[in-house]
Amino acid sequence: MRDSPLEAASVHITNTSGVSMETSPAKTMAQKSVIRAIRGNAKSFDLSGKAITSVPTLISEIQNLCVLRLQNNLIRALPEELTSLYNLTELHLSNNAFGEIPSVLGHIKWLKKLYLSGNRITALSPLVCAGLGNLVVLNLNHNKIQHLPPEIKSLAKLERLTMTDNKLEALPPEFGQLSNLIQLNLSRNHLSWLPGELYSCRELTRLYVARNRIKVLPEGIRALAKLKTLDVAGNKLSMFPVEFHMLPLQELYCEGNQFVQQLPITSVQELAARLVLLEDRNKHSKVHRALPLYPYLEAILAGWGHCPLCLGPILNFWLECVHFLRVKKGMKMSLRTVPVRAVLCSYECFNREGHSYYGVSLHSDENLCQPMQRWSLEGSR
């Protein structure tokens, strides 16, 4: 008669000479713990900090297991038997020796929470992403990941993603398809820019991108209408994007940037573009009727904005300015005021009286990383 899993686990392995082949103490202790969990019909099982190098396959016999904790071990791979744990929704694998995300995870489609921090992972497998469509929480802190695949969009139900202390250099545009994302932490990476598609994550309430190399935040940040916390400390920002002050922020951390650095922007056929844009406002004008016949021109003019003073149309920013805003009372922030980027159509508007916009010019100093007091601000005359 065939031994049951419990009986099989209790028998010593014997070679042809009849000599008992003892397993390691850590493995033996782990197997005994698994047997107790099977007998107790456990829903949560903890093998963390046991110095094991492999996962006992007998774990697959804990049929009602929902939470499995294997962190703080020396594990490099996972057994395929884990795919038979149909109730497993939470898996802790932090602080092990994984060099890649185990492919078996792509077959545990019911998993909701996955913790893989403190490993040696260098990439996020597209196949694993495709199989984790029910994942809600993903923690990949303290790894060596440089890129995210376009298949990241497969994590359609993801609400919390933390990837601090990795080597990320960019985010794919598909990142914007994570429509359920609530919290995103990408601090201490190598990011130099963020894709505008990130603003499609309309449920985002907390965004942490501190200690990167970001020079500018993309325009359209107002789309993050639920954003409560923003941490951009320790980057290379010169100012915040247009309509930044419209965000419902409660916490803002922005120390350690290079605020109020002028970024020169050229204008090409600006006056002609403004005339076309102005005429296009009149729905009965010939320009408005003819513009759809020139899709290339229409595409060029699609990025137009307007002057905050005269409300006239502008295409390429004629005069870049800044205004300083105090964020609403009671908000936690690391600076009293924040510089917000603004663009005026001309010096005619800039020289009007009664507005709070300042032009920006740089002192002749080779060191650009100076406090605000070293920047010259030109107000309206």
Side-chain angles (χ1 to χ4, degrees), residues 245-258:
H245 58 290
M246 304 296 289
L247 293 175
L249 289 177
Q250 296 177 353
E251 297 180 62
L252 172 64
Y253 304 99
C254 54
E255 67 278 5
N257 280 279
Q258 301 175 5

Side-chain angles (χ1 to χ4, degrees), residues 13-85:
I13 301 174
T14 305
N15 63 13
T16 55
S17 302
V19 179
S20 177
M21 300 172 60
E22 298 287 347
T23 58
S24 68
K27 187 172 183 179
T28 301
M29 185 178 297
Q31 287 178 335
K32 290 180 178 179
S33 298
V34 175
I35 293 171
R36 288 194 295 269
I38 295 173
R39 288 171 175 166
N41 197 25
K43 292 186 177 181
S44 178
F45 183 54
D46 191 346
L47 272 182
S48 60
K50 303 298 183 184
I52 57 176
T53 58
S54 61
V55 179
T57 57
L58 200 59
I59 284 181
S60 61
E61 299 295 329
I62 313 175
Q63 293 300 316
N64 291 320
L65 190 63
C66 298
V67 180
L68 178 57
R69 301 180 184 276
L70 298 170
Q71 67 266 32
N72 303 319
N73 283 295
L74 303 170
I75 304 169
R76 290 185 171 85
L78 295 177
E80 293 184 3
E81 285 79 0
L82 290 185
T83 58
S84 65
L85 295 174

Side-chain angles (χ1 to χ4, degrees), residues 229-277:
T229 301
L230 176 63
D231 187 353
V232 292
N235 280 283
K236 298 181 179 181
L237 293 174
S238 59
M239 59 185 73
F240 290 99
V242 173
E243 298 187 329
F244 168 79
H245 58 290
M246 304 296 289
L247 293 175
L249 289 177
Q250 296 177 353
E251 297 180 62
L252 172 64
Y253 304 99
C254 54
E255 67 278 5
N257 280 279
Q258 301 175 5
F259 284 126
V260 199
Q261 177 179 346
Q262 184 180 12
L263 301 177
I265 299 176
T266 60
S267 61
V268 180
Q269 299 177 336
E270 179 67 24
L271 295 179
R274 290 187 189 183
L275 178 60
V276 172
L277 288 169

